[in-house]
């Protein structure tokens, strides 16, 4: 554990010292703040449903909603933080020296992951805090439930980005060149974010030709959930929409008995429990593979 | 006293390539052992196995009484390793790099600051303590590497080509540090292909070729082994030497073989017959400026082994 923390501490100060990190940080902050600001403007002008949480999922038409920034830029942050974590040390010949000290190989992986997660957490909660501050200034004061939902939203976002961080770390172990692992990371991100949903519907359409059948819709939905982006989007939409109570298709007859009132937070979490487990699973699988591969790897200069 | 390093039929294969072939090595505590051999002979692979960074294909080994694969952390606390291609974190200063090593080794921060200041002074880097490593020359990095190894006060030091690519002053400095370490009771395994340096500091050397340790012992011992005991070599400087002179010397009783390169004649004989040879040269009207008996240096032992190796 001391090894993990030592590595994490060193990596954290490394991140804070690089231009790459501050560049990314600046982009995310500016984009996120712009989205939040325009969202507030829209909400104030529209004077319809003035809800604090709406700020994070609504769009004014000028910019996509705040949620889309975490959905699309989040993974990029994760990949950017992790794609060179191990192979850079290999290329610079620091890995062999590092591992000749009394530190386990998994401590190195853990420490680097931990520092990445710390950076992600700082970025996400920092930006949520600033956006909330802006909202409160224009009179959108959150109640306790909304505040709790915001925190869960933040935590889910960190978990989602951590998954991408773990994946890019695995790639940095698999590939010797930092450019290869970066390209692989961004390719996987693009595949799951843009192509997976159409592929899922294509596969479903081929397996079940009847376009109106419930099975086909369920199959399509379940297939698309292989993509972490879909899982994340569904999960945070439930958290940010207190009235949401279904994720899977329901029949109209079932819908008759539904009272359209907001759910308490715990009920919402209950609804997306399997999504959370799946996102945690993604992190764990990447880690397991990282350990297995890294421990067996030849460390040479 | 138990040997610091002991290997039994240690073998490492990469596919068909045998990098280390049944190595039986024994390094005593408190000695400087020179690991000699050309590039690609398996020196680095052996060192990595001793550290537990590479898994042997077969064979057993014990380093400071530990099995490197079973108890890597206990062993790594006691062993300092200087890799051949030394890498430091470029964005960090010399002091920050060493502080990281200190933290990884669980040295308290108060102790570490003191020790780092003293060590950087010892290796001659006191002016560069707070400079970024990216500004360092190869020689400075190598010195920093020595400080990095000495920082954890290791019982055993594994130094892979510690003097390659640095200036003579730097070499002298590093060799001094190595000898000082032995005086403090540390064991040193020094891998190199620079024979003169190895000869200067090592108590014993091992010659490593194509994954096999083909000879091991003190330099005198190896020299005798190579020269096969009965031959005696005399070198004579004759500025006006001609092929005819070679024949004249060849007729002297006891001379086995004469060879000439420029003005230097190398004469192999059965005993020390420098007097007879000198007399023959001078009485034939040639100028003799110098005559001496030849002392075998390590590089000669080394090249002898390679001659044998390439013939076989």
């Amino acid at each position: 554990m001391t090894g993990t923390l030592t590595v994490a501490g060193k990596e954290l100060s490394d991140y804070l010292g690089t231009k790459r990190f501050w560049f990314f940080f600046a982009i995310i902050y500016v984009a996120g703040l712009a989205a939040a600001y325009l969202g507030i403007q829209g909400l104030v002008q529209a004077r319809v449903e003035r809800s604090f949480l709406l700020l994070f999922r609504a769009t004014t038409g000028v910019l996509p909603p705040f949620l889309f920034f975490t959905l699309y830029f989040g993974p990029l942050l994760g990949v950017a933080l992790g794609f060179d974590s191990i192979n850079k040390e290999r290329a610079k010949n620091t890995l062999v020296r590092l591992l000749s000290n009394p530190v386990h190989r998994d401590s190195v992986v853990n420490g680097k992951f931990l520092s990445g997660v710390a950076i992600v957490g700082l970025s996400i909660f920092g930006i949520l805090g600033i956006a909330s501050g802006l909202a409160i200034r224009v009179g959108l004061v959150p109640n306790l439930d909304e505040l709790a939902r915001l925190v869960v939203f933040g935590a889910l976002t960190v978990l989602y980005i951590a998954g991408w961080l773990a994946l890019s770390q695995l790639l940095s172990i698999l590939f010797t060149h930092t450019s290869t692992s970066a390209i692989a990371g961004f390719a996987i991100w693009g595949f799951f974010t843009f192509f997976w949903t159409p592929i899922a519907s294509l596969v479903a359409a081929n397996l079940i030709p009847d376009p109106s059948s419930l099975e086909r819709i369920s199959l399509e939905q379940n297939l698309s959930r292989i993509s972490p982006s879909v899982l994340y989007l569904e999960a945070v939409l439930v958290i940010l929409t207190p009235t949401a109570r279904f994720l899977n298709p329901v029949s109209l007859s079932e819908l008759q008995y539904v009272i359209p009132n907001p759910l308490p937070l715990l009920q919402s979490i209950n609804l997306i429990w399997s999504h959370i487990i799946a996102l945690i699973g993604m992190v764990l699988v990447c880690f397991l593979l990282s350990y297995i591969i890294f421990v067996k790897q030849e460390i040479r200069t | 006293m138990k040997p610091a390093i002991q290997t039994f039929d240690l073998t490492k294969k990469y596919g068909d390539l045998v990098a280390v072939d049944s190595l039986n090595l024994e390094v005593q505590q408190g000695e400087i052992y020179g690991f000699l051999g050309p590039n690609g002979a398996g020196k680095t692979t052996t060192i990595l196995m001793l550290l537990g960074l590479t898994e042997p294909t077969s064979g057993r080994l014990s380093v400071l009484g530990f099995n490197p694969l079973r108890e890597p952390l206990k062993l790594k606390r006691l062993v300092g390793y200087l890799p051949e291609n030394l890498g430091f974190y470029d964005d960090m200063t010399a002091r920050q790099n060493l502080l990281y090593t200190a933290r990884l080794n669980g040295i308290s921060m108060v102790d570490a600051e003191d020790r780092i200041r003293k060590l950087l002074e010892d290796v001659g880097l006191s002016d560069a303590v707070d400079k970024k490593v990216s500004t360092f020359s190869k020689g400075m990095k190598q010195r920093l590497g020595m400080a990095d190894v000495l920082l954890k006060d290791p019982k055993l030091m594994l130094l892979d080509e510690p003097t390659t690519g640095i200036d003579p002053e730097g070499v002298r400095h590093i060799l001094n540090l190595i000898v000082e370490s032995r005086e403090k009771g540390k064991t040193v395994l020094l891998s190199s292909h620079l024979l003169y340096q190895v000869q200067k500091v090592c108590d014993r050397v091992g010659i490593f070729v194509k994954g096999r340790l083909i000879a091991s012992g003190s330099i005198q011992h190896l020299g005798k082994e190579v020269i096969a005991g009965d031959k005696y070599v005399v070198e004579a400087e004759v500025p006006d030497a001609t092929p005819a002179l070679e024949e004249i010397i060849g007729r002297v009783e006891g001379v086995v073989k004469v060879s000439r390169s420029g003005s230097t004649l190398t004469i192999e004989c059965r005993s020390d017959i420098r007097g007879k040879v000198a007399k023959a040269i001078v009485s034939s009207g040639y100028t003799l400026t110098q005559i001496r008996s030849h002392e075998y240096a390590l590089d000669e032992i080394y090249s002898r082994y390679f001659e044998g190796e390439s013939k076989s």
Side-chain angles (χ1 to χ4, degrees):
Chain A
M1 197 58 203
T2 45
T4 306
L5 291 181
T6 306
V7 173
K10 184 247 163 204
E11 292 295 318
L12 202 59
S13 60
D14 260 15
Y15 280 138
L16 298 176
T18 57
K19 290 188 195 93
R20 187 208 331 171
F21 168 72
W22 288 109
F23 176 71
F24 242 98
F25 213 56
I27 286 188
I28 287 170
Y29 260 88
V30 169
L33 278 181
Y37 179 75
L38 290 171
I40 288 166
Q41 295 265 302
L43 282 184
V44 169
Q45 279 160 16
R47 298 188 180 280
V48 274
E49 183 199 0
R50 295 192 72 179
S51 143
F52 173 74
L53 290 175
L54 201 58
L55 168 64
F56 296 98
R57 62 180 161 89
T59 170
T60 56
V62 182
L63 270 182
F66 183 86
L67 177 56
F68 275 66
F69 281 95
T70 53
L71 178 66
Y72 292 122
F73 284 116
L76 289 183
L77 176 69
V79 172
L81 286 174
F83 78 92
D84 63 351
S85 72
I86 301 291
N87 50 13
K88 187 176 150 202
E89 294 232 17
R90 202 186 283 277
K92 295 251 173 195
N93 289 326
T94 49
L95 189 60
V96 71
R97 205 172 51 81
L98 173 64
L99 291 178
S100 74
N101 285 303
V103 55
H104 283 299
R105 290 190 192 190
D106 28 346
S107 300
V108 174
V109 177
N110 293 349
K112 282 172 179 266
F113 179 73
L114 217 59
S115 66
V117 170
I119 292 285
V120 171
L122 271 175
S123 322
I124 295 301
F125 280 100
I127 195 171
L128 287 181
I130 294 175
S132 307
L134 274 176
I136 290 168
R137 279 201 63 176
V138 297
L140 287 172
V141 183
N143 61 28
L144 208 60
D145 183 67
E146 286 173 324
L147 209 59
R149 280 172 185 273
L150 188 70
V151 171
V152 174
F153 168 61
L156 278 173
T157 306
V158 173
L159 174 62
Y160 170 61
I161 300 176
W164 287 98
L165 177 66
L167 175 75
S168 66
Q169 245 185 5
L170 171 63
L171 294 173
S172 85
I173 291 170
L174 278 175
F175 298 110
T176 330
H177 295 289
T178 52
S179 47
T180 321
S181 56
I183 290 168
F186 291 128
I188 294 173
W189 166 76
F191 178 75
F192 278 121
T193 310
F194 302 114
F195 298 119
W196 184 248
T197 313
I199 290 174
S201 61
L202 206 69
V203 171
N206 271 302
L207 289 176
I208 305 167
D210 177 13
S212 60
S213 84
L214 196 62
E215 284 84 44
R216 173 164 158 184
I217 298 169
S218 312
L219 178 67
E220 186 181 329
Q221 198 174 23
N222 283 330
L223 275 177
S224 71
R225 281 179 186 154
I226 291 176
S227 158
S229 316
V230 174
L231 282 177
Y232 168 73
L233 186 63
E234 284 187 0
V236 290
L237 274 177
V238 166
I239 291 297
L240 291 177
T241 320
T243 48
R245 40 184 71 227
F246 299 109
L247 275 171
N248 300 318
V250 282
S251 65
L252 276 173
S253 54
E254 279 177 289
L255 212 55
Q256 276 181 26
Y257 305 102
V258 172
I259 312 154
N261 63 339
L263 289 177
L265 174 59
L266 278 178
Q267 294 289 319
S268 293
I269 291 180
N270 222 0
L271 201 58
I272 55 160
W273 198 232
S274 55
H275 287 61
I276 297 174
I277 298 289
L279 284 171
I280 293 175
M282 177 183 169
V283 178
L284 290 184
V285 166
C286 289
F287 257 78
L288 200 67
L289 289 175
S290 297
Y291 289 155
I292 293 170
I293 296 166
F294 192 38
V295 163
K296 286 278 159 199
Q297 242 171 12
E298 189 84 6
I299 309 293
R300 297 206 67 131
T301 52
Chain B
M1 205 157 53
K2 263 198 86 164
I5 299 173
Q6 248 180 322
T7 73
F8 309 94
D9 290 328
L10 191 67
T11 302
K12 176 72 189 179
K13 287 181 189 160
Y14 292 104
D16 286 341
L17 179 85
V18 185
V20 177
D21 189 1
S22 310
L23 174 67
N24 288 296
L25 179 72
E26 205 173 285
V27 177
Q28 303 303 325
Q29 284 185 35
E31 76 171 341
I32 303 180
Y33 190 88
F35 225 22
L36 276 174
N39 297 327
K43 292 173 293 179
T44 301
T45 307
T46 305
I47 289 179
L48 289 175
M49 284 194 282
L50 293 176
L51 262 172
L53 289 178
T54 293
E55 218 173 310
T57 310
S58 62
R60 284 187 300 126
L61 71 166
S62 150
V63 181
L64 300 173
F66 294 106
N67 178 336
L69 287 177
R70 292 238 183 82
E71 297 170 291
L73 288 212
K74 279 185 191 161
L75 179 63
K76 283 172 185 172
R77 264 185 212 112
L78 302 173
V79 180
Y81 171 47
L82 183 76
E84 183 180 0
N85 297 310
L86 188 57
F88 283 100
Y89 299 104
D90 281 345
D91 294 338
M92 286 160 55
T93 64
R95 201 171 58 91
Q96 286 168 335
N97 266 292
L98 293 189
L99 269 175
Y100 188 36
T101 304
R103 273 195 209 106
L104 288 170
N105 284 283
I107 300 169
S108 81
M109 283 304 103
V110 189
D111 278 1
E113 292 279 358
D114 281 354
R115 261 157 84 175
I116 288 168
R117 199 176 326 109
K118 203 185 157 296
L119 274 171
L120 287 176
E121 227 165 81
D122 285 353
V123 299
L125 284 177
S126 37
D127 295 338
V129 176
D130 288 311
K131 282 200 184 123
K132 284 195 173 176
V133 177
S134 54
T135 65
F136 277 30
S137 66
K138 166 96 178 147
M140 287 166 85
K141 274 190 195 160
Q142 212 70 32
R143 288 171 190 228
L144 184 59
M146 281 304 287
D148 188 60
V149 167
L150 291 167
L151 179 61
K152 57 169 141 177
D153 194 24
K155 276 175 93 171
L156 169 67
M157 292 160 68
L158 304 173
L159 311 176
D160 201 351
E161 305 278 1
T163 56
T164 307
I166 58 177
D167 59 60
E169 169 63 20
V171 170
R172 203 179 54 82
H173 208 117
I174 284 178
L175 293 182
N176 274 344
L177 285 169
I178 293 171
V179 173
E180 273 170 32
S181 305
R182 173 181 52 190
E183 280 157 17
K184 287 176 192 152
K186 301 184 195 308
T187 310
V188 182
L189 179 74
L190 170 69
S191 140
S192 182
H193 58 257
L194 299 172
L195 308 153
Y196 174 68
Q197 294 167 10
V198 170
Q199 190 170 14
K200 236 167 131 182
V201 297
C202 289
D203 301 311
R204 287 195 310 140
V205 295
I207 297 177
F208 217 54
V209 182
K210 287 180 192 156
R212 280 170 43 231
L213 187 70
I214 55 175
S216 176
S218 66
I219 291 164
Q220 289 88 330
H221 171 82
L222 288 184
K224 267 187 207 141
E225 206 172 85
V226 170
I227 303 153
D230 58 344
K231 265 188 233 155
Y232 196 89
V233 177
V234 171
E235 281 174 349
E237 290 291 330
V238 184
D240 49 358
T242 59
L245 177 64
E246 285 178 52
E247 274 177 39
I248 293 167
I249 297 171
R251 283 196 292 271
V252 175
E253 201 196 325
V255 170
V256 180
K257 194 181 155 203
V258 184
S259 57
R260 180 174 69 95
S261 80
S263 61
T264 308
L265 290 151
T266 306
I267 303 137
E268 282 177 30
C269 27
R270 284 190 201 95
S271 59
D272 187 359
I273 47 167
R274 272 179 287 179
K276 279 187 192 167
V277 173
K279 208 169 165 187
I281 294 169
V282 174
S283 61
S284 328
Y286 291 92
T287 320
L288 178 66
T289 54
Q290 198 184 25
I291 187 159
R292 59 179 180 259
S293 72
H294 179 81
E295 273 175 33
Y296 271 89
L298 194 51
D299 52 350
E300 213 147 348
I301 298 170
Y302 190 63
S303 60
R304 282 290 176 111
Y305 268 109
F306 286 115
E307 276 167 29
E309 193 66 23
S310 57
K311 270 176 210 154
S312 65

